[in-house]
Amino acid sequence: MVELLGTRASRKEDPRLLAGHGRFGADVQRPRTLHLRVVRSSVAAGRILEVATQAARDLPGVVAVFSAADLPGDLRIPVRLTVRGIDLSEHLQPVLASTHVRYVGEPVAVVVAEDAYTAEDGAELVEVDIEPGDVLLHAPDADDSRIAADFTLGYGDVDAAFGSAEHVVSLDFHVGRHTAVPMEPRSLVVEVGPDGHLDIYGSTKVPVFNRQVLADLLGMDAYDIRMHHVDAGGGFGVRGEFYPEDFLAPWVARRLGKPVAWTEDRAEHLVAVNHSREQHHRIEVALDADGVIMGLRDDVWHDNGGYIRTHGVIVPELTLAMLPGPYRVPAYSGRVRVALTNKTPCGTYRAPGRFEGTTVREQLFDLAADTLGMDRIELRRRNLLTSAELPLDRPLDALGTDMLLDSGDYGGLMERALSRVDELGWHDLVRQGRDAGRLLGIGVSNFLEKSGLGPHDTADVEITSTGRVRVHSGGTSLGQGIETVLAQVVADELGVAMEAIEVINGDSQLQPYGTGSWASRSTVMAGNAVRGAGQAVAARVRELAGRALEVEPGDLELVAGTVRVRGVPDCSLTLAQVWGASQPSSELLGADEPAGLWARHRFSVDHMTYPYGTHVCLVEVDPGTGGVAVRGYLVAYEVGRAINPQLVEGQLLGGVAQGVGGALLEQFQYDDAGQPQATTFMDYLMPTASEIPDIELIVSEDVPATTNALGVRGAGEGGLTGAGAAIASAVSDAVRVPAVPQLPLSPGVVLGLLAAGARTTRGVEKDRTEHIGSPTID
């Protein structure tokens, strides 16, 4: 049988999705379902004086209206990922605001009605009287009472490095606020059983964790709650965390004893789900006379919005932990202050912390190269870690794990990318364009990713009576193709066709120990868990078949749905026959042996894996409008091993598209009163097919990970991580300035760069200490 690992197997998900047979949260319909609508604050900061609900209650078709006064106490949503023992409890978000509101869009009440239209009409009748308070919109303006966390990471003697450096180059940089916008907004359907049991449809990403949080808040046994698998129209980090609505819909369903459905609209999504990215950096690098890095330090203000949500402060932690990237940095210090402003709370969005940190670091290196009169690529060549320096136990930790860079060839992959750019003739295009008076530029960024965050995941594999295979995975399907990848893994272990395998993800009853799909961990964690369970089932098949065929288990092989003697293909049993031999009535089964062909495997790791890569971007700037057109894009990415190269490529292509959006278009802006200025796609600009160029991909499998048996490094975020940096580098090259001051690079920002020239992005270094940086351009 042909090995399936590494092949471009067709996605198992696609036939049902393309035929319209997918089941999304809002597709689940139950008789007599009630519909929920959330009443949200229209004020960014203030004290709640009254929540008047009588007019809504009087509306025909409205069944109930609830505010915080109806809830059993001051319920707060806990943190899922704790960082450095920091106590964040006083900053957690309540499920409904009771005394104060902290951002426009914060839930204040819910209206429940017989249909969605009446629920929305009823919500408009709820009057929330709020005494406005002071609004904080700029993180660096926060006083101590608004700082949720303040911590540092680092190693080495940073002061000595900067004190003895020949050059010190600094940069001020602002990364704008944006978020993921999946095609499908969030939705939930909750059904209540006669015994109070809850069936919930719509939970994604981390359903087992969400089940436990809900059980704790409701005072229920977690096993009385079942999170059902559904399809999802994208996740990207923001979808599937535990939000206020994840409590409110089940609580209302229990309170009223009827099914409850809730689906957000796009305007709600843009003010309710986690925002991300917004950070202010003051970053500095110390270099010797040859441009070799001696030290690096960064001072970061992280704007986390109104509350701390389930991610805690892992985004700013990842910014600091991953900031040195793939470079040789002898001494490093990073500080971050997490400020609570009056904006939508923040969390993770694809490549959280790394998109921000990579952009800032790579722009600093472009500026440093210009300051030293050195080629941008040469500066990077001199400072990239070499293969001989790996593994490297970098004295940092992230997400509770030490940072062990196990293996890699960072410089070699960069050279492959640059060679391909030469083949594509991009440099010739730039020269010809400039000769014709056009503004073209090429940008480069190197990045280090992290993946495979443990510490564990669990999978079950079972052979059924017909010889088919069922997989119950701890991962969740978010559109990334996890069903296909896990089927490929187990198909290789059991020697069956993909068509004979059913993969079920995200069902908390079928897999109560799953840890979900996030942080590019599905293939690393769920894949290795499935592999372990598949190997255990295969061993059991060989053991029972060996008894039946009177041969040693080691003489058997699993091929095409059968188990047969090597070299004697006619001496075989089907998997269905072996299943029969595993049943309690079988004479081949010992008295104390468990029945069935089933195994559960828990895979755990001590360290993450570290994919890495290079982005190269070709842009053209319109000098009249300041518009930026991306004319060409290349991603070179080391994934260790591609279980399905086609799916890896899809992940990279989608990541680049989101990177273009974050670098050029997407931004949440607020007026002075904290009112969001982007609540529809008229104002929140996203890239379309017209803005995305043809994308060249180099998917490298030269350096398999040493931390897991499959050798996979993860591929979910590398298409995005380096995109902001590469586009910023290309724009700075096109407009002939050493660095840019911020993302996104809107037309106004670019026109400002063109008008101000090099004065806005570069100073003259004096006595190795003068600030060389970039003021923000509005």
Side-chain angles (χ1 to χ4, degrees):
M1 189 170 182
V2 177
E3 182 176 343
L4 285 171
L5 293 185
T7 67
R8 295 174 174 269
S10 298
R11 282 173 37 113
K12 286 182 67 66
E13 300 90 334
D14 285 352
R16 74 167 185 272
L17 295 174
L18 294 173
H21 297 150
R23 186 177 70 160
F24 298 85
D27 290 331
V28 178
Q29 299 185 16
R30 295 292 183 262
R32 297 178 296 281
T33 294
L34 300 176
H35 295 263
L36 183 147
R37 181 74 177 183
V38 179
V39 179
R40 302 182 184 276
S41 172
S42 61
V43 176
R47 184 167 64 95
I48 297 175
L49 302 177
E50 182 184 13
V51 180
T53 62
Q54 192 58 51
R57 296 176 192 274
D58 292 341
L59 183 69
V62 168
V63 175
V65 182
F66 300 108
S67 67
D70 300 298
L71 298 177
D74 181 23
L75 301 178
R76 304 271 171 160
I77 299 171
V79 168
R80 177 166 68 89
L81 297 167
T82 303
V83 169
R84 306 185 180 281
I86 299 172
D87 182 7
L88 300 168
S89 56
E90 65 177 290
H91 308 300
L92 301 178
Q93 179 162 4
V95 294
L96 286 177
S98 58
T99 60
H100 291 80
V101 293
R102 297 186 180 179
Y103 66 96
V104 173
E106 181 171 358
V108 176
V110 292
V111 174
V112 189
E114 295 172 352
D115 60 74
Y117 304 102
T118 303
E120 187 164 355
D121 290 342
E124 292 179 356
L125 295 175
V126 176
E127 296 183 4
V128 183
D129 187 9
I130 298 174
E131 180 182 51
D134 294 335
V135 175
L136 176 66
L137 297 174
H138 187 54
D141 293 337
D143 59 26
D144 289 344
S145 68
R146 304 294 288 268
I147 304 298
D150 182 348
F151 58 92
T152 61
L153 276 72
Y155 56 85
D157 193 336
V158 177
D159 290 339
F162 277 82
S164 60
E166 186 69 24
H167 304 278
V168 173
V169 183
S170 306
L171 177 70
D172 287 332
F173 200 97
H174 176 248
V175 182
R177 171 178 290 251
H178 56 281
T179 191
V181 187
M183 286 192 295
E184 180 202 15
R186 296 175 296 150
S187 63
L188 287 172
V189 174
V190 183
E191 189 173 19
V192 187
D195 58 355
H197 179 97
L198 295 177
D199 288 284
I200 300 176
Y201 304 83
S203 180
T204 62
K205 189 177 180 180
V206 285
V208 173
F209 171 82
N210 285 1
R211 179 185 69 162
Q212 188 61 58
V213 171
L214 180 61
D216 292 341
L217 292 175
L218 291 174
M220 294 179 63
D221 191 310
Y223 280 87
D224 289 332
I225 303 172
R226 182 176 182 179
M227 302 294 196
H228 289 262
H229 161 74
V230 291
D231 291 306
F236 312 116
V238 304
R239 185 191 178 102
E241 292 293 334
F242 197 98
Y243 290 95
E245 298 87 356
D246 291 284
F247 169 82
L248 293 169
W251 181 81
V252 168
R254 290 188 81 206
R255 177 78 173 252
L256 301 179
K258 292 183 178 180
V260 169
W262 169 77
T263 299
E264 71 178 355
D265 59 32
R266 188 61 68 185
E268 283 185 292
H269 176 92
L270 290 174
V271 299
V273 302
N274 291 334
H275 290 183
S276 199
R277 304 290 195 225
E278 188 170 12
Q279 293 180 347
H280 304 260
H281 289 251
R282 171 77 185 283
I283 188 170
E284 300 179 289
V285 62
L287 305 113
D288 69 13
D290 296 322
V292 174
I293 295 171
M294 301 175 64
L296 182 68
R297 61 189 177 198
D298 195 7
D299 189 5
V300 184
W301 282 91
H302 178 85
D303 187 332
N304 205 74
Y307 294 98
I308 297 293
R309 283 183 171 171
T310 53
H311 297 98
V313 292
I314 67 165
V315 175
E317 186 205 38
L318 283 169
T319 299
L320 294 187
M322 301 295 291
L323 194 71
Y327 296 97
R328 187 185 309 104
V329 180
Y332 167 61
S333 174
R335 178 189 182 187
V336 66
R337 280 159 286 191
V338 181
L340 299 180
T341 62
N342 295 112
K343 304 174 186 175
T344 298
C346 284
T348 59
Y349 169 34
R350 200 175 193 177
R354 286 95 71 199
F355 175 89
E356 302 93 301
T358 298
T359 299
V360 174
R361 181 195 64 237
E362 295 294 302
Q363 275 295 278
L364 175 67
F365 288 178
D366 278 0
L367 180 59
D370 182 83
T371 301
L372 274 64
M374 181 183 295
D375 180 77
R376 293 176 296 170
I377 301 301
E378 181 57 31
L379 185 140
R380 288 166 168 81
R381 286 192 180 110
R382 295 184 185 187
N383 290 289
L384 282 169
L385 288 162
T386 66
S387 299
E389 294 173 279
L390 302 177
L392 172 65
D393 191 355
R394 182 170 273 168
L396 291 170
D397 63 277
L399 301 172
T401 62
D402 295 333
M403 187 171 290
L404 178 64
L405 309 183
D406 61 325
S407 55
D409 185 6
Y410 306 145
L413 188 57
M414 182 183 74
E415 298 300 339
R416 284 181 64 185
L418 297 175
S419 294
R420 181 57 182 153
V421 167
D422 289 339
E423 293 172 2
L424 293 170
W426 287 6
H427 293 289
D428 293 334
L429 288 174
V430 170
R431 282 191 292 269
Q432 294 165 9
R434 287 178 176 175
D435 289 344
R438 296 162 62 193
L439 301 180
L440 284 91
I442 294 177
V444 179
S445 69
N446 293 317
F447 68 95
L448 183 70
E449 254 297 341
K450 65 108 196 89
S451 172
L453 175 65
H456 59 83
D457 210 341
T458 301
D460 302 346
V461 172
E462 180 179 13
I463 295 177
T464 69
S465 62
T466 59
R468 293 182 59 81
V469 178
R470 285 172 61 90
V471 176
H472 299 151
S473 159
T476 53
S477 179
L478 297 165
Q480 77 275 50
I482 186 174
E483 293 178 39
T484 304
V485 168
L486 298 185
Q488 287 180 258
V489 171
V490 80
D492 266 25
E493 296 298 336
L494 296 178
V496 297
M498 293 269 288
E499 295 74 21
I501 301 170
E502 180 183 9
V503 179
I504 302 172
N505 298 294
D507 190 309
S508 64
Q509 180 169 300
L510 298 178
Q511 185 46 265
Y513 303 109
T515 47
S517 289
W518 45 282
S520 293
R521 70 190 303 276
S522 293
T523 303
V524 179
M525 300 305 299
N528 278 283
V530 166
R531 176 181 178 272
Q535 288 178 332
V537 171
R540 182 61 171 158
V541 167
R542 291 188 182 95
E543 182 181 11
L544 289 175
R547 297 176 192 174
L549 299 174
E550 299 182 344
V551 297
E552 291 296 318
D555 294 332
L556 296 171
E557 60 182 356
L558 278 69
V559 179
T562 68
V563 54
R564 68 190 189 189
V565 178
R566 286 192 177 87
V568 190
D570 291 338
C571 187
S572 65
L573 295 172
T574 65
L575 291 181
Q577 290 173 316
V578 179
W579 178 88
S582 73
Q583 297 307 293
S585 59
S586 170
E587 296 180 354
L588 295 175
L589 200 65
D592 297 325
E593 285 186 281
L597 297 176
W598 174 91
R600 170 170 289 165
H601 182 76
R602 179 175 178 267
F603 175 73
S604 60
V605 292
D606 296 324
H607 296 94
M608 292 186 283
T609 66
Y610 294 94
Y612 56 89
T614 298
H615 285 216
V616 189
C617 179
L618 171 65
V619 304
E620 181 171 4
V621 173
D622 186 324
T625 67
V628 177
V630 182
R631 300 299 187 196
Y633 209 97
L634 181 145
V635 178
Y637 196 36
E638 176 59 64
V639 300
R641 186 183 190 187
I643 301 299
N644 189 314
Q646 181 173 255
L647 296 185
V648 171
E649 291 165 3
Q651 290 290 307
L652 295 177
L653 295 173
V656 170
Q658 290 177 310
V660 170
L664 299 177
L665 300 167
E666 298 180 49
Q667 185 174 25
F668 286 113
Q669 294 181 313
Y670 293 78
D671 68 12
D672 292 342
Q675 291 295 325
Q677 303 299 290
T679 57
T680 72
F681 287 153
M682 288 292 290
D683 302 300
Y684 189 82
L685 304 181
M686 296 185 65
T688 68
S690 298
E691 284 76 44
I692 307 302
D694 290 337
I695 300 169
E696 289 277 330
L697 298 177
I698 300 173
V699 177
S700 175
E701 300 179 69
D702 293 342
V703 190
T706 61
T707 53
N708 64 86
L710 288 173
V712 293
R713 290 184 179 271
E717 294 165 287
L720 181 54
T721 309
I727 293 171
S729 180
V731 170
S732 68
D733 187 43
V735 301
R736 311 308 290 270
V737 297
V740 301
Q742 66 188 76
L743 291 183
L745 291 167
S746 65
V749 171
V750 176
L751 286 175
L753 288 171
L754 286 166
R759 289 185 302 101
T760 65
T761 55
R762 180 180 174 192
V764 178
E765 185 188 32
K766 296 178 181 178
D767 299 327
R768 302 178 300 178
T769 59
E770 181 172 339
H771 174 225
I772 302 172
S774 312
T776 298
I777 299 173
D778 295 321

